[in-house]
Amino acid sequence: MHGRRQTKEKWILLAPAILVLALITLIPLANTVWLSFTDTKISALPVPVHFIGLENFIYALTDPDFQAALYRTLYFTIVSVGLEGILGVAVAVLLNQEFRGRTLLRALIILPWAVPTIVNAVAWRLIYHPDYGALNSLLYQIGLISDYRSWIGDPMTAMNMVILADVWKNFPLVAYVALAALQTVPGDLNKAAAVEGAGPWKRFVSITLPWIAGPLMVVMVLRTIEAFRVFDIVYVMTGGGPADSTKTASFYVYQEYFNYLRSGSGASYAVLVAGISAVLILAYYSASKRQTAGAAA
């Protein structure tokens, strides 16, 4: 009886938070899902709305332009999150060592992540500028290029340049989470493994990585969600160009809503993007869980 009363009190205390969450998340989500089954359009004049079932979804799934945008989004997500994970863990291992100036370096490394995405995008656009960009100047001075290039004006390099800017901004988040996890690894385990002849790499793979896998998985899932719905950095740096080479799924949704004013169609694209994000997260979680269990065994 006492336990039941405690449970009831907990739900009463949680009720306001659940209500707020429903108002700001579930209701807009439900409205988006409803719109995706209609032919709603944004218009200055009243336009009748018709329920059209799965027509929007069928069109979206057979639209070659949207399929291409999904492939570009997957490429962006896999490469950027992968690089952020590798670079973040490497930096965390470095910052976990004892050396002079470590505290200052730990403070400075968070600066890229603290910079707003729009500011970061504008800064990197200036770095890539074909006439006076710092990247061209540096590569030209050391002899790696013979002439200045338009890095984000070339369809062959534009997406990779956007990925580089995104990695620069977000790897500190991974590094800080990994660093916090590294500081919980018992030193005795590494010392015992070293005595038994295990090298640094073997100790890292067998002891350190499984120990920090949980927190690392959380931050990588968060980054996967953010990367798959990337929009702002693309909008500022390239506007989806050149030749649609950086047009991602979220950018496609934006165009459907605000350029073509097809809110019903845009809602179906948004639902598909959210669904694919959920599948990716579940797959990532499942793979990470199996890897952690295998390492522990």
Side-chain angles (χ1 to χ4, degrees), residues 121-136:
V122 171
W124 278 95
R125 183 166 182 167
L126 293 175
I127 290 171
Y128 294 145
H129 198 280
D131 297 325
Y132 50 78
L135 180 61
N136 273 324

PDB file of all heavy atoms in Angstrom, residues 121-136:
ATOM      1  N   ALA A 121      29.574  28.333 -39.340  1.00  0.00           N
ATOM      2  CA  ALA A 121      29.387  28.170 -40.780  1.00  0.00           C
ATOM      3  C   ALA A 121      29.919  29.382 -41.544  1.00  0.00           C
ATOM      4  O   ALA A 121      30.581  29.240 -42.580  1.00  0.00           O
ATOM      5  CB  ALA A 121      27.911  27.966 -41.093  1.00  0.00           C
ATOM      6  N   VAL A 122      29.644  30.585 -41.045  1.00  0.00           N
ATOM      7  CA  VAL A 122      30.127  31.800 -41.696  1.00  0.00           C
ATOM      8  C   VAL A 122      31.655  31.847 -41.662  1.00  0.00           C
ATOM      9  O   VAL A 122      32.317  32.197 -42.663  1.00  0.00           O
ATOM     10  CB  VAL A 122      29.535  33.054 -41.020  1.00  0.00           C
ATOM     11  CG1 VAL A 122      30.209  34.318 -41.541  1.00  0.00           C
ATOM     12  CG2 VAL A 122      28.032  33.127 -41.243  1.00  0.00           C
ATOM     13  N   ALA A 123      32.241  31.475 -40.524  1.00  0.00           N
ATOM     14  CA  ALA A 123      33.698  31.480 -40.398  1.00  0.00           C
ATOM     15  C   ALA A 123      34.341  30.521 -41.395  1.00  0.00           C
ATOM     16  O   ALA A 123      35.321  30.868 -42.071  1.00  0.00           O
ATOM     17  CB  ALA A 123      34.095  31.101 -38.971  1.00  0.00           C
ATOM     18  N   TRP A 124      33.787  29.312 -41.515  1.00  0.00           N
ATOM     19  CA  TRP A 124      34.360  28.345 -42.448  1.00  0.00           C
ATOM     20  C   TRP A 124      34.099  28.736 -43.895  1.00  0.00           C
ATOM     21  O   TRP A 124      34.923  28.450 -44.772  1.00  0.00           O
ATOM     22  CB  TRP A 124      33.805  26.954 -42.167  1.00  0.00           C
ATOM     23  CG  TRP A 124      34.543  26.283 -41.040  1.00  0.00           C
ATOM     24  CD1 TRP A 124      34.199  26.253 -39.727  1.00  0.00           C
ATOM     25  CD2 TRP A 124      35.784  25.580 -41.149  1.00  0.00           C
ATOM     26  NE1 TRP A 124      35.149  25.573 -39.001  1.00  0.00           N
ATOM     27  CE2 TRP A 124      36.124  25.138 -39.838  1.00  0.00           C
ATOM     28  CE3 TRP A 124      36.633  25.263 -42.211  1.00  0.00           C
ATOM     29  CZ2 TRP A 124      37.290  24.415 -39.586  1.00  0.00           C
ATOM     30  CZ3 TRP A 124      37.786  24.529 -41.950  1.00  0.00           C
ATOM     31  CH2 TRP A 124      38.102  24.113 -40.663  1.00  0.00           C
ATOM     32  N   ARG A 125      33.010  29.416 -44.142  1.00  0.00           N
ATOM     33  CA  ARG A 125      32.778  29.896 -45.515  1.00  0.00           C
ATOM     34  C   ARG A 125      33.851  30.911 -45.899  1.00  0.00           C
ATOM     35  O   ARG A 125      34.320  30.923 -47.045  1.00  0.00           O
ATOM     36  CB  ARG A 125      31.388  30.525 -45.603  1.00  0.00           C
ATOM     37  CG  ARG A 125      31.034  30.988 -47.003  1.00  0.00           C
ATOM     38  CD  ARG A 125      29.573  31.300 -47.162  1.00  0.00           C
ATOM     39  NE  ARG A 125      29.260  31.696 -48.515  1.00  0.00           N
ATOM     40  CZ  ARG A 125      28.049  31.794 -49.009  1.00  0.00           C
ATOM     41  NH1 ARG A 125      27.011  31.503 -48.247  1.00  0.00           N
ATOM     42  NH2 ARG A 125      27.845  32.159 -50.250  1.00  0.00           N
ATOM     43  N   LEU A 126      34.242  31.753 -44.955  1.00  0.00           N
ATOM     44  CA  LEU A 126      35.328  32.700 -45.220  1.00  0.00           C
ATOM     45  C   LEU A 126      36.666  31.969 -45.382  1.00  0.00           C
ATOM     46  O   LEU A 126      37.488  32.352 -46.217  1.00  0.00           O
ATOM     47  CB  LEU A 126      35.417  33.717 -44.080  1.00  0.00           C
ATOM     48  CG  LEU A 126      34.232  34.680 -43.949  1.00  0.00           C
ATOM     49  CD1 LEU A 126      34.382  35.545 -42.704  1.00  0.00           C
ATOM     50  CD2 LEU A 126      34.123  35.562 -45.197  1.00  0.00           C
ATOM     51  N   ILE A 127      36.883  30.926 -44.584  1.00  0.00           N
ATOM     52  CA  ILE A 127      38.118  30.144 -44.699  1.00  0.00           C
ATOM     53  C   ILE A 127      38.215  29.508 -46.091  1.00  0.00           C
ATOM     54  O   ILE A 127      39.294  29.429 -46.688  1.00  0.00           O
ATOM     55  CB  ILE A 127      38.174  29.059 -43.605  1.00  0.00           C
ATOM     56  CG1 ILE A 127      38.372  29.710 -42.237  1.00  0.00           C
ATOM     57  CG2 ILE A 127      39.292  28.055 -43.875  1.00  0.00           C
ATOM     58  CD1 ILE A 127      38.230  28.747 -41.072  1.00  0.00           C
ATOM     59  N   TYR A 128      37.075  29.073 -46.634  1.00  0.00           N
ATOM     60  CA  TYR A 128      37.054  28.418 -47.943  1.00  0.00           C
ATOM     61  C   TYR A 128      36.945  29.399 -49.113  1.00  0.00           C
ATOM     62  O   TYR A 128      36.905  28.950 -50.260  1.00  0.00           O
ATOM     63  CB  TYR A 128      35.850  27.466 -48.030  1.00  0.00           C
ATOM     64  CG  TYR A 128      35.889  26.289 -47.097  1.00  0.00           C
ATOM     65  CD1 TYR A 128      34.704  25.801 -46.527  1.00  0.00           C
ATOM     66  CD2 TYR A 128      37.081  25.647 -46.773  1.00  0.00           C
ATOM     67  CE1 TYR A 128      34.717  24.700 -45.683  1.00  0.00           C
ATOM     68  CE2 TYR A 128      37.108  24.560 -45.923  1.00  0.00           C
ATOM     69  CZ  TYR A 128      35.914  24.094 -45.376  1.00  0.00           C
ATOM     70  OH  TYR A 128      35.927  23.019 -44.531  1.00  0.00           O
ATOM     71  N   HIS A 129      36.894  30.696 -48.848  1.00  0.00           N
ATOM     72  CA  HIS A 129      36.657  31.670 -49.910  1.00  0.00           C
ATOM     73  C   HIS A 129      37.662  31.491 -51.048  1.00  0.00           C
ATOM     74  O   HIS A 129      38.862  31.355 -50.814  1.00  0.00           O
ATOM     75  CB  HIS A 129      36.745  33.097 -49.361  1.00  0.00           C
ATOM     76  CG  HIS A 129      36.116  34.110 -50.249  1.00  0.00           C
ATOM     77  ND1 HIS A 129      36.742  34.622 -51.364  1.00  0.00           N
ATOM     78  CD2 HIS A 129      34.893  34.707 -50.212  1.00  0.00           C
ATOM     79  CE1 HIS A 129      35.956  35.493 -51.965  1.00  0.00           C
ATOM     80  NE2 HIS A 129      34.824  35.562 -51.291  1.00  0.00           N
ATOM     81  N   PRO A 130      37.189  31.476 -52.299  1.00  0.00           N
ATOM     82  CA  PRO A 130      38.099  31.204 -53.417  1.00  0.00           C
ATOM     83  C   PRO A 130      39.122  32.301 -53.697  1.00  0.00           C
ATOM     84  O   PRO A 130      40.135  32.037 -54.359  1.00  0.00           O
ATOM     85  CB  PRO A 130      37.145  31.050 -54.614  1.00  0.00           C
ATOM     86  CG  PRO A 130      35.908  31.799 -54.216  1.00  0.00           C
ATOM     87  CD  PRO A 130      35.787  31.626 -52.736  1.00  0.00           C
ATOM     88  N   ASP A 131      38.889  33.523 -53.207  1.00  0.00           N
ATOM     89  CA  ASP A 131      39.809  34.624 -53.500  1.00  0.00           C
ATOM     90  C   ASP A 131      40.748  34.959 -52.347  1.00  0.00           C
ATOM     91  O   ASP A 131      41.948  35.183 -52.565  1.00  0.00           O
ATOM     92  CB  ASP A 131      39.017  35.882 -53.893  1.00  0.00           C
ATOM     93  CG  ASP A 131      38.220  35.672 -55.166  1.00  0.00           C
ATOM     94  OD1 ASP A 131      38.712  34.951 -56.057  1.00  0.00           O
ATOM     95  OD2 ASP A 131      37.103  36.214 -55.268  1.00  0.00           O
ATOM     96  N   TYR A 132      40.217  34.990 -51.134  1.00  0.00           N
ATOM     97  CA  TYR A 132      41.061  35.384 -50.004  1.00  0.00           C
ATOM     98  C   TYR A 132      40.912  34.443 -48.804  1.00  0.00           C
ATOM     99  O   TYR A 132      41.204  34.804 -47.670  1.00  0.00           O
ATOM    100  CB  TYR A 132      40.734  36.823 -49.569  1.00  0.00           C
ATOM    101  CG  TYR A 132      39.271  37.107 -49.344  1.00  0.00           C
ATOM    102  CD1 TYR A 132      38.614  36.707 -48.172  1.00  0.00           C
ATOM    103  CD2 TYR A 132      38.524  37.760 -50.320  1.00  0.00           C
ATOM    104  CE1 TYR A 132      37.274  36.962 -47.974  1.00  0.00           C
ATOM    105  CE2 TYR A 132      37.172  38.025 -50.132  1.00  0.00           C
ATOM    106  CZ  TYR A 132      36.557  37.623 -48.955  1.00  0.00           C
ATOM    107  OH  TYR A 132      35.229  37.874 -48.764  1.00  0.00           O
ATOM    108  N   GLY A 133      40.485  33.220 -49.044  1.00  0.00           N
ATOM    109  CA  GLY A 133      40.307  32.264 -47.961  1.00  0.00           C
ATOM    110  C   GLY A 133      41.627  31.779 -47.384  1.00  0.00           C
ATOM    111  O   GLY A 133      42.633  31.632 -48.101  1.00  0.00           O
ATOM    112  N   ALA A 134      41.620  31.524 -46.074  1.00  0.00           N
ATOM    113  CA  ALA A 134      42.832  31.088 -45.385  1.00  0.00           C
ATOM    114  C   ALA A 134      43.297  29.710 -45.866  1.00  0.00           C
ATOM    115  O   ALA A 134      44.499  29.447 -45.918  1.00  0.00           O
ATOM    116  CB  ALA A 134      42.590  31.051 -43.872  1.00  0.00           C
ATOM    117  N   LEU A 135      42.357  28.817 -46.222  1.00  0.00           N
ATOM    118  CA  LEU A 135      42.748  27.480 -46.659  1.00  0.00           C
ATOM    119  C   LEU A 135      43.531  27.540 -47.959  1.00  0.00           C
ATOM    120  O   LEU A 135      44.584  26.890 -48.093  1.00  0.00           O
ATOM    121  CB  LEU A 135      41.499  26.611 -46.834  1.00  0.00           C
ATOM    122  CG  LEU A 135      41.755  25.167 -47.293  1.00  0.00           C
ATOM    123  CD1 LEU A 135      42.604  24.422 -46.265  1.00  0.00           C
ATOM    124  CD2 LEU A 135      40.445  24.427 -47.533  1.00  0.00           C
ATOM    125  N   ASN A 136      43.041  28.299 -48.924  1.00  0.00           N
ATOM    126  CA  ASN A 136      43.760  28.448 -50.182  1.00  0.00           C
ATOM    127  C   ASN A 136      45.139  29.053 -49.958  1.00  0.00           C
ATOM    128  O   ASN A 136      46.130  28.601 -50.536  1.00  0.00           O
ATOM    129  CB  ASN A 136      42.961  29.332 -51.145  1.00  0.00           C
ATOM    130  CG  ASN A 136      41.967  28.530 -51.969  1.00  0.00           C
ATOM    131  OD1 ASN A 136      42.227  27.402 -52.356  1.00  0.00           O
ATOM    132  ND2 ASN A 136      40.801  29.115 -52.222  1.00  0.00           N
TER     133      ASN A 136
END
